[in-house]
Amino acid sequence: MSRQTSDWRSYIFISPTPKSLSGSRKTRLGVNYMVASSPFRETTLDGVTLKISQKLDSEYQVGLQNSNALGVGAVVWDAGDLLLKFIATFPHLFTDKTLIDLGSGTGIVGIVAGWVGKSSTVWLTDHESLRTLNEENILSIGNTFRTHFNKTTNSPFIKFEHYWWGPNPLPEAITSSLTNPHFDIIVASDDLYDDKVFPPLLQTLKLITGDRTLVIFTYKRRMNEREITFFEQLEGEFALGVVDLNHFGCEPYTETYIILAGKKGGAVAKIIEEESQFRPL
Ligand SMILES: C[S@@+](CC[C@H](N)C(=O)[O-])C[C@H]1O[C@@H](n2cnc3c(N)ncnc32)[C@H](O)[C@@H]1O
């Protein structure tokens, strides 16, 4: 487990606090409508072009569990695409780690963590209505990677499970697959799209994050005052740092950020706090 603390220190430069993101009020969507309307989104990582299935659902649903609508999750959001590039740039961070993708949408972030990052166990989690899309992408993107790697690489463990944020513990299917009760990495990509989801997401993060868990958020700044509220609430129990995207020359989308978090008092928080001290903005 000490690998987790030693390897990402050398790759990531962190600025002190998400408050440094403050700026004018912005309400942009987070994905181009034409790109979202296509049945596929293409992205290229290390020379491999991935064709990710997506299904834009006209019925906009914000975190409604009792609905079969696909909602906002069935398209690849730009913040998710940024995280794919981050994984491809720093695959070592993900290697041999157990990872859970909260609000997996199309499933692509966790799928890339499994194939490119070589994470050992990946759980994609979202509403049950997104199961088919996640499983379709696990299969088709897996085939793309299998062809690319010339079948020499073993297929990673990547599965989907319904998991709804709030007071709910992780499902038995997930916990029984883990030797350590806490995941090494939690990813939450563009999950801050509406403040209705903040309370259950905060509850889940407090519940499932261990002392050695690295939480990775990516998000599109839509309404800064609102999103900062989320991080202020998280800051009560978590140390936070902003990844300096300029450091790895990867800022394809405007006002889209990667934030790292670790439970205060834990190993990950310690690194975030130390890095922040000697890398002020
Ligand atoms: C904007 S989408 C992001 C999808 C994907 N992570 C990406 O970056 O492309 C947010 C996702 O959060 C999921 N979500 C919203 N509220 C949730 C809740 N209470 N529990 C679990 N997932 C939730 C939605 O179903 C949706 O798939």
Side-chain angles (χ1 to χ4, degrees):
M1 290 298 288
S2 57
R3 221 175 347 156
Q4 176 160 328
T5 53
S6 60
D7 59 7
W8 65 272
R9 184 191 289 267
S10 54
Y11 294 109
I12 293 178
F13 295 86
I14 298 169
S15 23
T17 159
K19 288 196 184 74
S20 61
L21 302 176
S22 63
S24 59
R25 190 184 176 93
K26 295 282 192 310
T27 53
R28 292 188 212 112
L29 189 60
V31 65
N32 173 297
Y33 183 77
M34 293 300 286
V35 174
S37 322
S38 162
F40 299 102
R41 176 150 181 179
E42 288 196 2
T43 197
T44 302
L45 301 173
D46 290 343
V48 189
T49 299
L50 307 178
K51 212 170 160 194
I52 308 147
S53 291
Q54 49 179 21
K55 293 184 176 64
L56 184 66
D57 193 332
S58 55
E59 206 181 328
Y60 174 71
Q61 303 281 331
V62 180
L64 290 183
Q65 188 173 15
N66 54 354
S67 163
N68 284 325
L70 295 173
V72 295
V75 301
V76 180
W77 291 80
D78 290 349
D81 192 52
L82 174 65
L83 191 46
L84 302 185
K85 289 171 175 125
F86 181 76
I87 296 168
T89 310
F90 303 110
H92 319 68
L93 290 180
F94 298 84
T95 304
D96 294 334
K97 304 291 190 325
T98 59
L99 179 146
I100 184 167
D101 186 346
L102 296 177
S104 58
T106 60
I108 190 60
V109 171
I111 294 169
V112 165
W115 281 98
V116 179
K118 306 212 180 320
S119 293
S120 56
T121 303
V122 174
W123 282 99
L124 312 177
T125 64
D126 208 305
H127 190 272
E128 183 62 28
S129 62
L130 287 159
R131 179 183 290 277
T132 308
L133 183 62
N134 275 255
E135 291 181 345
E136 195 181 306
N137 280 321
I138 292 173
L139 210 63
S140 67
I141 304 293
N143 284 338
T144 304
F145 280 118
R146 238 171 255 121
T147 308
H148 175 74
F149 291 125
N150 243 344
K151 299 187 169 73
T152 50
T153 303
N154 289 336
S155 300
F157 176 105
I158 306 174
K159 281 195 171 169
F160 175 88
E161 190 59 49
H162 166 84
Y163 177 52
W164 207 241
W165 313 326
N168 319 314
L170 288 168
E172 160 73 13
I174 296 184
T175 51
S176 61
S177 72
L178 303 172
T179 45
N180 186 320
H182 293 117
F183 280 93
D184 297 319
I185 299 180
I186 297 173
V187 291
S189 162
D190 219 353
D191 288 347
L192 309 181
Y193 61 100
D194 194 295
D195 54 2
K196 286 191 189 68
V197 306
F198 292 0
L201 180 57
L202 284 164
Q203 209 174 0
T204 285
L205 287 168
K206 289 175 185 173
L207 195 68
I208 70 169
T209 305
D211 283 351
R212 292 179 171 276
T213 305
L214 170 64
V215 187
I216 307 177
F217 295 95
T218 53
Y219 81 104
K220 162 75 184 174
R221 179 159 79 186
R222 296 179 175 93
M223 294 180 72
N224 195 51
E225 306 85 338
R226 202 174 70 180
E227 290 134 11
I228 289 297
T229 312
F230 173 84
F231 289 111
E232 280 171 352
Q233 288 172 27
L234 195 67
E235 231 174 5
E237 289 187 33
F238 288 75
L240 303 175
V242 186
V243 173
D244 179 357
L245 297 176
N246 293 323
H247 175 65
F248 63 102
C250 180
E251 196 166 14
Y253 304 111
T254 51
E255 299 189 299
T256 305
Y257 300 101
I258 301 180
I259 311 276
L260 304 181
K263 251 200 175 153
K264 280 187 177 164
V268 169
K270 192 162 172 278
I271 297 173
I272 290 174
E273 283 154 359
E274 283 170 7
E275 290 291 308
S276 302
Q277 276 165 23
F278 62 84
R279 288 227 162 239
L281 265 189

